[in-house]
């Protein structure tokens, strides 16, 4: 099922999920012209690298590239990969401030880290997973900002297998919180019709 999200009120972002969690859509919180500048800087100046993930007992190099930044060298382990956070890039801090300002009326979250993904085209995606690593604690608040190509982002309930989907656009912000990571998996769906790159920033709070 594909569901388009529209704010139900100026200060009430819509919730994509029907139950067992909250995913709020804030829409395009960064204007297109500024989002273009951010995309260019992130693509050129972030220290991107391919991950080597453990799948079915084998180490596989991912097509997408990632980066991990934060307040200090936080250790973060996901998909069998361990990373130490790099010092913040000034553009990441600027975007982080915009995100925190947007969500402050609804959650007091202050993020201390950011995981970035670079997808060169629609043939690169992210398989079903939950952001439920111990470092994030219970009911983490995770804010995701998209730049570049529009991509389908999907959620699937772990028990009922019900799905929700949204097309994330240039400068758009969504926030996952509550029981979302406990009950739902999410994925970036592949597409043969997308030929442009996308960068996603997922701001998180690592427990110190």
């Amino acid at each position: 099922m594909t569901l388009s999200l529209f704010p139900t009120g100026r200060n009430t972002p819509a919730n994509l999920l029907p139950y067992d969690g909250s995913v709020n859509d804030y829409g395009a919180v960064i204007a297109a012209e500024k989002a273009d500048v951010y995309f260019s800087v992130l693509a050129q100046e972030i220290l991107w690298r391919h991950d080597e993930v453990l799948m079915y007992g084998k180490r596989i190099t991912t097509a997408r590239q990632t980066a991990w930044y934060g307040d200090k060298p936080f250790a973060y382990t996901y998909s069998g990969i361990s990373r130490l956070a790099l010092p913040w890039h000034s553009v990441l801090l600027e975007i982080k401030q915009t995100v925190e300002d947007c969500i402050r009326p609804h959650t007091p979250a202050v993020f201390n880290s950011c995981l970035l993904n670079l997808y060169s085209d629609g043939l690169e995606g992210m398989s079903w997973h939950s952001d439920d690593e111990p470092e994030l604690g219970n009911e983490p608040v995770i804010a995701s900002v998209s730049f570049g190509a529009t991509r389908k982002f999907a959620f699937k309930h772990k028990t009922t297998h019900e799905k929700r989907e949204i097309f994330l656009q240039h400068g758009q912000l969504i926030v996952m919180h509550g029981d979302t990571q406990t009950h739902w998996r999410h994925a970036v769906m592949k597409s043969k019709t997308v030929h442009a790159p996308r960068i996603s920033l997922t701001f998180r709070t690592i427990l110190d």
Side-chain angles (χ1 to χ4, degrees), residues 107-124:
T107 174
V110 175
F111 303 107
N112 61 16
S113 52
C114 182
L115 182 66
L116 298 86
N117 287 281
L118 170 59
Y119 306 89
S120 61
D121 56 33
L123 298 181
E124 297 177 10

Side-chain angles (χ1 to χ4, degrees), residues 142-169:
I142 300 175
S144 176
V145 187
S146 297
F147 296 102
T150 297
R151 294 293 298 271
K152 183 190 290 187
F153 194 72
F155 293 87
K156 181 167 64 174
H157 196 276
K158 294 179 181 180
T159 303
T160 68
H161 305 296
E162 184 169 353
K163 292 183 180 179
R164 289 292 188 272
E165 298 173 346
I166 183 173
F167 286 89
L168 297 179
Q169 302 180 23

Side-chain angles (χ1 to χ4, degrees), residues 29-182:
V29 300
I30 299 172
E33 186 173 338
K34 179 172 278 190
D36 289 344
V37 173
Y38 284 155
F39 181 90
S40 179
V41 172
L42 293 169
Q44 296 176 36
E45 298 185 13
I46 290 298
L47 299 178
W48 299 104
R49 55 183 278 192
H50 294 279
D51 279 333
E52 288 189 0
V53 300
L54 188 63
M55 295 182 65
Y56 308 109
K58 297 182 179 180
R59 298 200 73 83
I60 298 173
T61 300
T62 61
R64 75 178 189 283
Q65 297 182 69
T66 66
W68 173 234
Y69 287 77
D71 286 358
K72 57 185 181 180
F74 294 117
Y76 187 36
T77 301
Y78 59 96
S79 301
I81 305 161
S82 293
R83 287 282 194 93
L84 293 178
L86 299 170
W88 286 110
H89 188 290
S90 59
V91 163
L92 290 177
L93 287 175
E94 188 173 326
I95 299 170
K96 183 173 89 77
Q97 187 63 59
T98 298
V99 169
E100 290 172 349
D101 288 345
C102 286
I103 70 174
R104 186 164 293 121
H106 314 108
T107 174
V110 175
F111 303 107
N112 61 16
S113 52
C114 182
L115 182 66
L116 298 86
N117 287 281
L118 170 59
Y119 306 89
S120 61
D121 56 33
L123 298 181
E124 297 177 10
M126 177 80 77
S127 60
W128 294 107
H129 69 286
S130 297
D131 295 327
D132 54 3
E133 294 80 12
E135 299 96 318
L136 299 176
N138 296 321
E139 299 188 356
V141 178
I142 300 175
S144 176
V145 187
S146 297
F147 296 102
T150 297
R151 294 293 298 271
K152 183 190 290 187
F153 194 72
F155 293 87
K156 181 167 64 174
H157 196 276
K158 294 179 181 180
T159 303
T160 68
H161 305 296
E162 184 169 353
K163 292 183 180 179
R164 289 292 188 272
E165 298 173 346
I166 183 173
F167 286 89
L168 297 179
Q169 302 180 23
H170 196 37
Q172 187 168 355
L173 166 66
I174 63 170
V175 179
M176 300 180 283
H177 56 104
D179 291 334
T180 302
Q181 306 304 325
T182 300

